[in-house]
Amino acid sequence: MEIAVRIHAVRLRARHAHRGAALTLAAAVTLAGCAGTGTSDATVDAAPFSAGGVAVSVRIESRDDGLRVLAELRPQQAGFHLYSLDLPDGGVDGIGIPTRIRVEGALRPASLATTDAKRRMLRPAGLDVRLPVYEDGRVVLELPVRRVEGADRARVFLTYGACSERAGCLPPVRDRAVSLSLGPAS
C-alpha cells in the first residue's frame, strides 16, 4: 500500500532581512496509511528540546519501506557519551542508564530500535564492570513503526543518560514524552 501524504497546512516562517517582517504561511503535514511501497517521502517533526545535557530532536519519516521514528540525541558537552541500547534495563550491577525509545498512541513498533552509532565497552576506573556505550557524541535511534487505524496522535518516549569518563554523569532522563500529531489516516 502506498503511503498517502497530504499537506494540509505547514507553518513556515520566513524573515525578510531588508524589511524585518515575518511572513507566516499556515500549514501541517499529515501522514496517512501505515506502510508503503510507493515513492513518496514525508517527514513530521516534533519541537526539539534539551534535557539531561542532551539536545534531542524527534521526527517520523515515511519511506518506501514504511514509517520510521528517528530520534537524534546529541550530548551538549564534548567528551560525553550515551549508554547503548544493549545495556540491560537495570544497567550492569545497577550502573548505567540504558538508552530506550518506545511509542504509543497512533504508532506501534514494527521491530526493534537500531542505531548506526559505534559501540564500545567502557570499564569505569575502580569497578569490575564493562558497560556498553556509544562513542562520544551524536546518536541517532531508528525505530520502524506502523500506523494504528483511526488514531492521529502519537507519543514517543525516550530514556537516556549522558556520561563522561572524566566529568561523571549528568542527571538521567527517563521516559521523556514527545507528542506528535500525524493527522487523520485515510
Side-chain angles (χ1 to χ4, degrees):
M1 169 197 284
E2 183 174 327
I3 297 286
V5 178
R6 279 191 227 141
I7 299 180
H8 286 292
V10 177
R11 281 198 177 153
L12 172 66
R13 291 188 183 240
R15 188 165 299 268
H16 297 280
H18 63 283
R19 292 189 201 159
L23 171 66
T24 303
L25 301 173
V29 175
T30 304
L31 296 177
C34 60
T37 58
T39 59
S40 298
D41 285 349
T43 303
V44 173
D45 292 296
F49 67 91
S50 176
V54 177
V56 179
S57 65
V58 177
R59 68 184 184 275
I60 300 173
E61 287 186 358
S62 172
R63 300 180 185 166
D64 287 343
D65 61 348
L67 296 175
R68 303 273 189 271
V69 173
L70 299 169
E72 180 178 314
L73 295 89
R74 184 183 303 270
Q76 294 174 301
Q77 298 177 47
F80 277 77
H81 60 262
L82 297 171
Y83 289 96
S84 170
L85 289 166
D86 299 341
L87 187 68
D89 284 334
V92 175
D93 292 339
I95 300 170
I97 304 298
T99 299
R100 298 288 186 262
I101 182 171
R102 65 184 180 87
V103 293
E104 69 177 31
L107 298 173
R108 295 289 183 266
S111 65
L112 299 176
T114 61
T115 183
D116 63 357
K118 291 191 180 206
R119 194 181 78 129
R120 66 184 177 98
M121 295 306 285
L122 174 68
R123 186 169 184 172
L127 298 176
D128 192 26
V129 298
R130 291 172 37 108
L131 303 170
V133 301
Y134 296 116
E135 295 289 331
D136 292 358
R138 175 176 89 91
V139 173
V140 177
L141 306 175
E142 183 173 322
L143 179 64
V145 295
R146 61 182 170 75
R147 181 85 188 259
V148 175
E149 295 273 338
D152 65 352
R153 294 200 163 300
R155 292 189 349 160
V156 176
F157 293 89
L158 295 166
T159 295
Y160 57 86
C163 291
S164 165
E165 292 177 65
R166 295 184 184 151
C169 294
L170 300 174
V173 174
R174 297 181 195 275
D175 282 327
R176 169 70 186 252
V178 177
S179 296
L180 296 165
S181 178
L182 306 179
S186 60

